[in-house]
Amino acid sequence: MRLNTIAAAACLLAGTATAATEKFKADKDGKYWIYGEGIRAAFIPYGASITDLIVKDQYGIERDVVMGFDNATYYEEDKTHAHLGGIVGRYANRIKNSTFEMDGVKYHVTPNENPTKEHPDGLNQLHGGPDGWDWRTFKVASYTNNSITFSLVDPDGKEGFPGEVVSYVTYTLGKMTWDFKIVAIATTKKTPIHLSNHGYWNLDGFANNETQSVLNHTFYLPYSGQRVDVDNILIPTGDILANKKGSVNDFWSKPKQIASGFKDKEIKDNCGKGCDGYDNCWLVNKPTPDDWRAEGNYVARLQSAWSGIQLDIYSDQEAFQMYSCNFQDGSMTLKKNQGLFDNPDFPRTVPKYGCLVLEVEDWIDAINHPEWHREKKHFIEPGGDPYVVQASYRFSVNSTRVPY
């Protein structure tokens, strides 16, 4: 009965979303604002993306801590398409050789990363392909003062994936909190699903007058003593590696400034061949049973001593990805409410290491690693349980400075 109700709700949601989008009006920049206590945020239908999130720092100054554009139209025009704040899917992260096997049948999905002479479109697929979910315009299904829900119908065969998927994404603000829930339902065929939000963060609002880098932020992953091993192009090898205490990828033994890892020679190629920094998938190994919402049970903490803004991330997911913006090159401009003005030493752009992507997710490319036994989480069937991602981003003020 429960699954039939979910399926019926999915059909209703898909059928009424267009009318709902026409009913709800965005502001002059095409953004939908919602409000909580001490926090406000904006979203757009393109990619169901978060574009702004504003909280006060330790001095009472408002900081927009999310990277994005001032106007919704820029997201579609941006040629770099860095997946700014969007829902990445149908399958987040990378799929090795753009192939997977399901029930003895081999499937080929559309590649879009690491092109070669033999494979000009790419070797692997990243974030659902060249027309993944964050490239598409969702419908606004519901909109209130503190919450907004987007919906998407992903058709059978799109980007090479079998079966239709109906999904909805709900963002809600509370008391200094941003919560989201992503639900995806396979309606016609069994299919792989792996989803996340791809927001870019800088807890100084890009306004730090000491540095443009976020490497001074303190990062902590209390349950992440292991990570997924990857090759030179960030494709999982199948091995699970220990993050030994004191190593570059050790963020579990104690909080540390991200910059501290750059003192170690292990940082070289840590995020792929020729990449010094982070773009890693840490496993979240919590004791069970687990109440993921329980106070203090966060999977990640990010904190800036300069602004005093602290972000604790709670989630029901069993992995966590952090990307240290290794390939930002100063071409991405800041929003009007971010950064410093009239200071030639601090241009109004995002430099290398000027932001962080924080993704709650499951084990990446698990569809190509049956030895991990993640099939039930990654292959979703009609009539079965939906794919669900839940997270709560909780903000507070903490000006503690962790030694470099």
Side-chain angles (χ1 to χ4, degrees), residues 360-379:
V360 298
E361 61 186 6
D362 200 72
W363 298 27
I364 57 176
D365 199 25
I367 53 175
N368 279 311
H369 293 284
E371 69 275 16
W372 292 346
H373 304 289
R374 312 296 292 181
E375 293 94 336
K376 289 185 178 180
K377 287 184 174 290
H378 287 250
F379 291 108

Side-chain angles (χ1 to χ4, degrees), residues 46-57:
Y46 186 73
S49 304
I50 182 169
T51 62
D52 305 72
L53 191 146
I54 299 172
V55 293
K56 289 183 178 180
D57 68 10

Side-chain angles (χ1 to χ4, degrees), residues 64-66 200-207 212-214 217 354-355:
D64 185 351
V65 295
V66 169
Y200 286 74
W201 300 86
N202 181 311
L203 296 186
D204 297 332
F206 302 92
Q212 286 190 294
S213 170
V214 295
H217 285 27
C355 51

Side-chain angles (χ1 to χ4, degrees), residues 238-299:
D239 294 333
I240 303 300
L241 301 179
N243 300 320
K244 294 183 179 181
K245 191 173 182 178
S247 66
V248 163
N249 292 294
D250 167 25
F251 289 98
W252 63 267
S253 63
K254 63 179 180 180
K256 70 178 183 182
Q257 283 194 37
I258 297 170
S260 64
F262 285 75
K263 298 184 292 185
D264 195 313
K265 63 181 181 181
E266 289 182 24
I267 198 70
K268 182 175 174 59
D269 298 334
N270 188 58
C271 45
K273 184 68 173 177
C275 178
D276 301 345
Y278 294 96
D279 193 0
N280 307 85
C281 177
W282 285 266
L283 305 186
V284 176
N285 295 308
K286 286 187 179 181
T288 55
D290 172 53
D291 178 6
W292 69 267
R293 297 179 181 86
E295 190 65 31
N297 197 21
Y298 54 86
V299 298

Side-chain angles (χ1 to χ4, degrees), residues 116-131:
T116 66
K117 184 177 180 179
E118 295 78 15
H119 302 276
D121 294 326
L123 287 171
N124 60 280
Q125 185 185 91
L126 173 65
H127 293 326
D131 194 24

Side-chain angles (χ1 to χ4, degrees), residues 62-129:
E62 289 191 332
R63 303 294 183 189
D64 185 351
V65 295
V66 169
M67 194 165 91
F69 294 114
D70 286 313
N71 191 284
T73 59
Y74 298 167
Y75 286 79
E76 294 185 62
E77 295 171 1
D78 176 32
K79 302 302 182 184
T80 63
H81 194 88
H83 314 282
L84 286 178
I87 298 299
V88 285
R90 172 181 312 192
Y91 201 86
N93 217 286
R94 294 166 176 86
I95 297 178
K96 182 179 182 179
N97 294 329
S98 302
T99 62
F100 65 91
E101 187 174 304
M102 183 175 65
D103 297 332
V105 178
K106 192 170 186 178
Y107 292 84
H108 297 266
V109 293
T110 309
N112 64 325
E113 190 186 42
N114 294 309
T116 66
K117 184 177 180 179
E118 295 78 15
H119 302 276
D121 294 326
L123 287 171
N124 60 280
Q125 185 185 91
L126 173 65
H127 293 326

Side-chain angles (χ1 to χ4, degrees), residues 190-204:
K190 184 177 179 180
T191 187
I193 303 176
H194 184 223
L195 304 172
S196 187
N197 177 274
H198 201 271
Y200 286 74
W201 300 86
N202 181 311
L203 296 186
D204 297 332

Side-chain angles (χ1 to χ4, degrees), residues 15-58:
T16 60
T18 300
T21 298
E22 294 172 352
K23 175 182 176 182
F24 303 124
K25 300 298 183 183
D27 71 3
K28 62 181 179 60
D29 293 315
K31 297 180 179 183
Y32 293 81
W33 286 90
I34 60 176
Y35 303 87
E37 186 177 337
I39 186 172
R40 66 183 187 274
F43 304 86
I44 59 172
Y46 186 73
S49 304
I50 182 169
T51 62
D52 305 72
L53 191 146
I54 299 172
V55 293
K56 289 183 178 180
D57 68 10
Q58 61 181 323

